[in-house]
Amino acid sequence: MKNLYRKYPKKLVFAGLLFITYLILLIPLENSQPIQKGSTKPFIWNQDSLWKHLEFKFKEAKILGCDKIQTSIDSFLNSSKIILNEISQKSLQPTNEKYSTLEKQLFETAPLIPTCIDRFKEYINFYSRLREVIKEQSRKWDMNSIEAKNTIYRLLYGNRTAVEEIMLQLPPDKINTLINGVDETSQTPSSKILGVVVHSGDILVSRGGAPTSALIARGSDYPGNFSHIALVHIAENNKTISIIESHIERGVVISSIDEYLKDKKLRIMILRIRQDLIMYDPMIPHKAATYALENVKVNHIPYDFEMNTSDPEKQFCSEVASSAYKKLGINLWAVISNISSYGTRNWLSAFGVKYFQTEEPSDLEYDPQLSVVAEWRDSETLYKDHLDNAVTDVMLEKADSGKVLSYDWYALPIGRLAKLYSLVLNIFDEVGPIPEGMSPEAALKNKKYSEDHELIKNKLVELAKDFETEKGYRAPYWELVELGRIARDAVMNN
């Protein structure tokens, strides 16, 4: 080294050493295992002609006006109520034709409602009743069968989509942000969140605003609208609400209700264990929440990027609820979630996921053990939810056609230094720029994915505005997907 200093200026030697260090840090260390193809197939609606037909009906209703379509609404709703009543009085298997008839009736009704705004409340009430009846029916189904999965998904997710398509065509002051469900009895301590009585042990299923939140929601075999799970604990003495949840950045934490709501939520659904399942000990939900609360207080629980539900030492959001209830003998996610798409598996594996049979937030709604107490949407960001979903769906189409996630290769040394800095901060229980358990490569891919998602969404917003100006109404979801493909190709080919 001394000889180097004599022969060359110190600054030049230092610059050379830095350059060599930079080159060393550029060497990729990832040794990813080949991704296996899924054994099942993702659900596909495959009903483009129906969506176009419904859009035509919506435009036709706008021209005719409310007075001329009231009879049609009455006919559809009355017929649907009769079918639902017949279903509620029998035990029907998921293949029964009444379910498909009911689905068709409600889809035919939905395009008419925005023209007759006063009928929206009636439609919402029927939707809530439908969800209650279908959930009751599913208690007798083999939820591992494809028929059961498809039927409950088509009716619950399909009709949520119909409700939201109506909402997005209504003036903001006419939107019902809160839709009540089943007031499931509970004996655990209670309080209120967003105007709804919640009980200790209730499960909050929500949707975040980040691009990766949309990826979590849409990446399952049954694409949904939710990306996050949290468990409610309410103190017996002073009714203090604590939210136990797992964040990518911090692992499992205890949040106040204000902190929970401050972290952007596009929608929240409240689920509660059925009382008839815990008659032997009605306090099980509170005991589960208390276990989760105390566990966080005494243990540091990192985020589980692998999504391995059999390892409680690390927990992603769903595991916070499932592991706590499992301690009390209740196995949530009666049907384990599958991520079968080869492209989606590849992308998720780039972020550290190794287990593709896991517990997806959206799928918890279909668990027969749980009742849907209420669902709340932020009217100002509901459209953002749909935009994020459309962009994610068209990006995943590219994943299925072979596109892999990448990052700017020259940023890897900086990423590695950021990871080293993060590791030092983690020692002192501080949060660094790269989360604990995430590799620099995964962090850079996450960053690039989010940037691409934002670019496509910005272009989609422009196209959607042009659509609304030309057509006189907001683009429904199937049109957003079509516009999303145009936006994606324009951005990716630029």
Side-chain angles (χ1 to χ4, degrees):
M1 185 65 73
K2 288 182 179 179
N3 290 334
L4 281 173
Y5 281 145
R6 290 193 190 102
K7 190 172 182 179
Y8 301 103
K10 290 182 180 180
K11 289 183 179 179
L12 185 60
V13 172
F14 183 69
L17 290 173
L18 278 179
F19 182 67
I20 292 170
T21 302
Y22 178 79
L23 291 178
I24 292 172
L25 290 174
L26 276 175
I27 300 172
L29 296 178
E30 285 187 311
N31 184 25
S32 57
Q33 297 295 319
I35 301 301
Q36 301 297 317
K37 291 185 177 181
S39 57
T40 58
K41 293 183 179 180
F43 176 89
I44 299 175
W45 283 98
N46 197 26
Q47 290 187 286
D48 289 351
S49 60
L50 173 62
W51 311 142
K52 294 294 183 183
H53 162 70
L54 296 179
E55 188 175 352
F56 175 80
K57 285 195 65 174
F58 165 73
K59 292 187 288 187
E60 187 179 53
K62 282 170 64 75
I63 295 170
L64 291 172
C66 184
D67 288 344
K68 293 184 179 180
I69 63 172
Q70 288 277 17
T71 303
S72 295
I73 294 175
D74 287 337
S75 175
F76 281 129
L77 280 177
N78 289 338
S79 176
S80 298
K81 288 174 183 176
I82 291 171
I83 296 171
L84 188 62
N85 187 53
E86 291 173 351
I87 292 173
S88 69
Q89 293 178 13
K90 301 176 183 178
S91 178
L92 303 178
Q93 288 303 303
T95 52
N96 192 284
E97 63 179 12
K98 289 185 184 297
Y99 295 118
S100 55
T101 302
L102 184 60
E103 175 191 323
K104 183 179 179 181
Q105 289 280 98
L106 284 167
F107 278 167
E108 292 286 347
T109 311
L112 308 180
I113 302 298
T115 301
C116 293
I117 298 175
D118 292 341
R119 304 300 297 272
F120 183 47
K121 185 176 181 181
E122 183 181 359
Y123 188 93
I124 286 291
N125 290 339
F126 182 73
Y127 161 70
S128 296
R129 174 60 181 156
L130 175 144
R131 182 162 59 185
E132 179 182 354
V133 170
I134 300 306
K135 289 280 286 182
E136 287 176 356
Q137 285 286 321
S138 71
R139 299 175 188 179
K140 310 175 190 73
W141 296 349
D142 171 12
M143 290 304 296
N144 283 295
S145 71
I146 291 297
E147 293 79 12
K149 291 178 183 178
N150 287 354
T151 296
I152 197 167
Y153 179 74
R154 295 180 75 101
L155 286 167
L156 268 60
Y157 174 78
N159 280 289
R160 175 190 288 110
T161 301
V163 165
E164 292 178 5
E165 289 297 343
I166 296 171
M167 287 180 170
L168 291 174
Q169 304 301 335
L170 298 180
D173 62 331
K174 298 294 184 180
I175 294 178
N176 294 51
T177 58
L178 176 65
I179 299 179
N180 289 308
V182 178
D183 186 17
E184 185 70 47
T185 302
S186 176
Q187 297 182 33
T188 69
S190 64
S191 188
K192 277 193 174 184
I193 297 177
L194 297 172
V196 179
V197 175
V198 296
H199 285 263
S200 193
D202 282 0
I203 300 168
L204 303 180
V205 192
S206 63
R207 171 66 177 272
T212 46
S213 295
L215 179 59
I216 292 168
R218 307 301 293 174
S220 172
D221 279 5
Y222 291 87
N225 293 100
F226 299 96
S227 62
H228 188 60
I229 296 282
L231 190 58
V232 178
H233 179 276
I234 300 175
E236 296 179 65
N237 53 354
N238 58 14
K239 306 298 183 185
T240 298
I241 301 175
S242 298
I243 309 295
I244 307 101
E245 54 183 339
S246 185
H247 289 288
I248 288 175
E249 302 82 2
R250 295 174 288 160
V252 183
V253 297
I254 301 169
S255 305
S256 69
I257 186 59
D258 290 337
E259 290 170 332
Y260 173 79
L261 295 175
K262 187 178 180 181
D263 189 18
K264 185 184 289 185
K265 300 286 187 299
L266 307 186
R267 58 173 76 234
I268 300 173
M269 181 168 60
I270 302 170
L271 300 177
R272 184 174 302 152
I273 195 79
R274 284 165 38 203
Q275 187 68 14
D276 63 297
L277 296 178
I278 53 172
M279 295 294 288
Y280 60 95
D281 186 357
M283 294 301 287
I284 276 181
H286 182 59
K287 290 178 179 178
T290 301
Y291 166 80
L293 185 77
E294 297 302 323
N295 192 26
V296 182
K297 288 180 178 179
V298 298
N299 294 305
H300 170 59
I301 309 172
Y303 189 85
D304 179 11
F305 287 98
E306 295 183 354
M307 296 178 74
N308 179 8
T309 57
S310 63
D311 178 14
E313 299 301 314
K314 297 178 182 179
Q315 295 180 358
F316 66 101
C317 65
S318 299
E319 287 180 276
V320 171
S322 65
S323 63
Y325 268 98
K326 192 172 185 177
K327 286 286 181 180
L328 279 299
I330 294 178
N331 294 312
L332 298 178
W333 277 269
V335 178
I336 204 72
S337 304
N338 275 296
I339 303 170
S340 298
S341 162
Y342 185 70
T344 304
R345 284 183 171 216
N346 264 318
W347 281 19
L348 289 174
S349 71
F351 297 144
V353 177
K354 294 183 179 178
Y355 293 83
F356 302 102
Q357 285 188 311
T358 186
E359 297 169 348
E360 288 278 6
S362 288
D363 292 344
L364 189 59
E365 176 187 5
Y366 313 129
D367 190 329
Q369 302 169 101
L370 300 166
S371 295
V372 179
V373 175
E375 186 173 347
W376 173 89
R377 298 162 176 82
D378 183 341
S379 60
E380 294 181 4
T381 56
L382 178 59
Y383 190 51
K384 180 185 182 305
D385 173 283
H386 283 223
L387 290 168
D388 285 346
N389 285 355
V391 172
T392 303
D393 284 354
V394 300
M395 290 181 76
L396 286 175
E397 288 177 354
K398 285 296 184 183
D400 288 334
S401 65
K403 180 178 173 58
V404 297
L405 289 179
S406 61
Y407 59 88
D408 297 325
W409 61 268
Y410 54 81
L412 183 55
I414 299 171
R416 285 180 168 157
L417 291 173
K419 181 61 180 178
L420 180 61
Y421 175 61
S422 299
L423 290 172
V424 174
L425 289 178
N426 294 158
I427 294 172
F428 299 98
D429 293 327
E430 297 291 336
V431 177
I434 297 181
E436 180 182 7
M438 177 181 276
S439 71
E441 291 87 348
L444 290 171
K445 288 176 182 177
N446 191 322
K447 180 175 180 291
K448 183 67 166 59
Y449 172 83
S450 297
E451 290 171 348
D452 288 347
H453 189 283
E454 194 65 21
L455 287 172
I456 297 170
K457 189 173 80 169
N458 290 339
K459 182 63 177 177
L460 174 58
V461 169
E462 293 178 14
L463 295 174
K465 283 181 179 177
D466 293 342
F467 181 99
E468 188 171 352
T469 300
E470 179 186 347
K471 305 284 188 178
Y473 58 90
R474 270 183 167 171
Y477 189 73
W478 49 91
E479 295 283 11
L480 286 179
V481 171
E482 288 293 331
L483 295 173
R485 292 187 180 113
I486 297 171
R488 175 200 65 199
D489 294 343
V491 169
M492 296 295 99
N493 296 330
N494 192 353

